[in-house]
Amino acid sequence: MNPSQKTSALEHLPAVIRGLQSATDATELLQRLTTAAIDLTGSASASVLEFDESSNSLRFVAVPWFWQELLKDFVVPLDESIAGRVFVNKKAQRIQNVTKDPLHFKTVDQITNFTTSSLLAVPIVYRENTIGVFEVVNKADDANYTEEDVITLEILALYAAMTLWSSKLEKQRKSSLQEAAQLDRLKSNFIGITSHELRTPLGLILGHATFLREIIGEQYREPMETIIRNATRLKEIIESLTDVDNYESGVARIRENTISISRIVNEVVSSFQDMAASKNITLSADMQDNEFQVEADANKITVAISNLIRNAITFTNEGGQVQVKVGSVTGHVEVSVKDNGIGIPASAIPHIFDRFYQVESHLTRRHTGMGLGLSVAKSMIEMHGGRIWVESVVGQGSIFSFLLPMHPTKPKPSEKAFTT
Ligand code: ADP
């Protein structure tokens, strides 16, 4: 053994490892690792094999470029190969004459037209899990692989382990994202089809029930009112589903006009006074004596504000307070609905605007609702180029706020005369 050659591999190792850091992806990094292994151990070839759970075998993930096509789909059985034995026993192996080993897997040599003589293989281990094997073959001049070659390959195998593991995680992440996107598509299709199919029969029920209410006797008026009230509620749910779906699929339409946010807030606040009074809740509005005009669809903004106020009253205990404020911040109108109700846990806040999300499970909750109000409000605000958010502390209350781009202020006649 040549002592000067012995130190040179370890001397080169830090520079080689630094060079690996410029690799742009896992494939390139593994390729560079095999080149480094060839150089540092003085071998003819090197390969990285990864364990494939589905076939319970090893597969080549990095080999010299001239063998890549030949070996890319090749399967190395665990029980009929030296690499398999290293993988199963989790122990490095140095073999001087491979042909004498009964587990030598000759097929690879036949395919690549290569004759393996000596071999060094180490397991690739990540957090106690063996996930592959790193091999070098045919040390130059028929020399034996040394203890130092083992250490060198084991260090490179650590890098291979991290690379294989992170690329496995990346693959899992991508496939989970694809699955989630597919589920979301299915959900949207289901919602779209169901709400479309329900709308027509429900319209007929409501139409006929409203007609019958006018002609039936007083004794049937109350049950008829119940039918109409509940059918109207179903219609609202279907409309909410359709609204969010239209917004998410980009087909939502808005009828923009110059509208006064202060006026809409006043109207909505008035319409909820009875509901607030039934819980002895004080519902007030603070407008700063300004119209706060925006270019928007009045119906959609009304729905958004209504949903926030309805929730504030619903999730505030008897005797509480709900305050609606309208103000302006840098070219935007800001509306906030503040309550001193039950509040929202921090863990729920990132999901609160998701469709069908409810903090309490539908089995235990005392309130009605389908988890649609906030997602509808979000759609309505975002389709006007606005933004909605919440700040909340459990036991203290919540503030739901949104911003809408303000209508550019038209100069008053007197100002106009002055400036022209
Ligand atoms: P729902 O119609 O079921 O109330 P929303 O989308 O309007 O659905 O609200 C989702 C959930 O967010 C509610 O179930 C409730 O748990 C929580 N939430 C909404 N507004 C408030 C609020 N002002 N205070 C506390 N929790 C709230």
Side-chain angles (χ1 to χ4, degrees), residues 139-332:
K139 190 165 171 79
D141 306 325
D142 263 345
N144 286 350
Y145 279 108
T146 64
E147 192 54 39
E148 188 183 297
D149 290 330
V150 177
I151 294 169
T152 305
L153 200 59
E154 278 177 342
I155 291 172
L156 295 177
L158 286 175
Y159 275 82
M162 283 187 277
T163 313
L164 289 179
W165 195 257
S166 59
S167 87
K168 191 175 162 152
L169 289 184
E170 181 57 18
K171 273 183 211 145
Q172 279 172 354
R173 194 185 68 85
K174 277 191 184 147
S175 94
S176 308
L177 282 177
Q178 271 167 0
E179 263 173 46
Q182 169 69 356
L183 281 176
D184 207 54
R185 261 195 305 280
L186 285 175
K187 190 174 79 177
S188 286
N189 289 348
F190 174 76
I191 291 170
I193 293 166
T194 318
S195 41
H196 183 79
E197 290 302 315
L198 288 177
R199 207 176 303 138
T200 314
L202 199 56
L204 288 170
I205 292 172
L206 260 174
H208 286 285
T210 314
F211 168 70
L212 285 175
R213 182 178 55 186
E214 303 308 317
I215 58 168
I216 53 168
E218 199 52 45
Q219 74 269 37
Y220 299 118
R221 196 164 278 269
E222 205 182 306
M224 198 47 91
E225 290 290 354
T226 309
I227 293 173
I228 293 172
R229 200 170 49 249
N230 284 288
T232 308
R233 175 80 194 113
L234 277 178
K235 189 169 162 257
E236 282 165 8
I237 292 172
I238 291 166
E239 273 165 10
S240 296
L241 284 169
T242 316
D243 283 340
V244 180
D245 209 48
N246 286 348
Y247 171 62
E248 289 185 354
S249 56
V251 298
R253 280 163 187 251
I254 44 180
R255 288 200 190 111
E256 280 192 345
N257 279 309
T258 306
I259 58 164
S260 156
I261 293 291
S262 303
R263 194 177 53 78
I264 292 184
V265 165
N266 257 331
E267 284 169 8
V268 178
V269 164
S270 301
S271 72
F272 277 99
Q273 286 300 352
D274 284 350
M275 182 183 175
S278 71
K279 287 181 79 180
N280 199 19
I281 287 173
T282 314
L283 171 61
S284 60
D286 174 0
M287 307 291 176
Q288 286 183 15
D289 207 14
N290 193 321
E291 283 285 305
F292 292 114
Q293 290 193 327
V294 294
E295 286 291 318
D297 187 322
N299 286 339
K300 293 189 164 46
I301 302 301
T302 302
V303 169
I305 298 173
S306 301
N307 289 359
L308 298 185
I309 296 180
R310 186 182 301 107
N311 278 348
I313 299 172
T314 304
F315 297 103
T316 297
N317 293 330
E318 297 250 341
Q321 286 180 347
V322 175
Q323 291 166 290
V324 188
K325 239 182 172 174
V326 186
S328 64
V329 251
T330 54
H332 290 77

Side-chain angles (χ1 to χ4, degrees), residues 311 315 339 344 352 357-359 365 369-371 373-374 398 400:
N311 278 348
F315 297 103
D339 65 60
I344 301 162
I352 205 85
Y357 183 83
Q358 294 176 322
V359 176
R365 63 189 260 129
M370 283 182 66
L374 290 179
S398 313
F400 281 86

Side-chain angles (χ1 to χ4, degrees), residues 84-123:
R85 189 169 63 212
V86 168
F87 178 85
V88 172
N89 296 340
K90 300 184 178 185
K91 271 177 85 175
Q93 280 217 312
R94 278 184 278 167
I95 299 170
Q96 186 54 24
N97 189 349
V98 164
T99 51
K100 285 191 184 155
D101 193 310
L103 280 189
H104 174 43
F105 188 56
K106 298 179 196 67
T107 325
V108 176
D109 277 2
Q110 285 158 10
I111 288 177
T112 55
N113 203 14
F114 180 85
T115 308
T116 308
S117 49
S118 58
L119 176 150
L120 163 62
V122 300

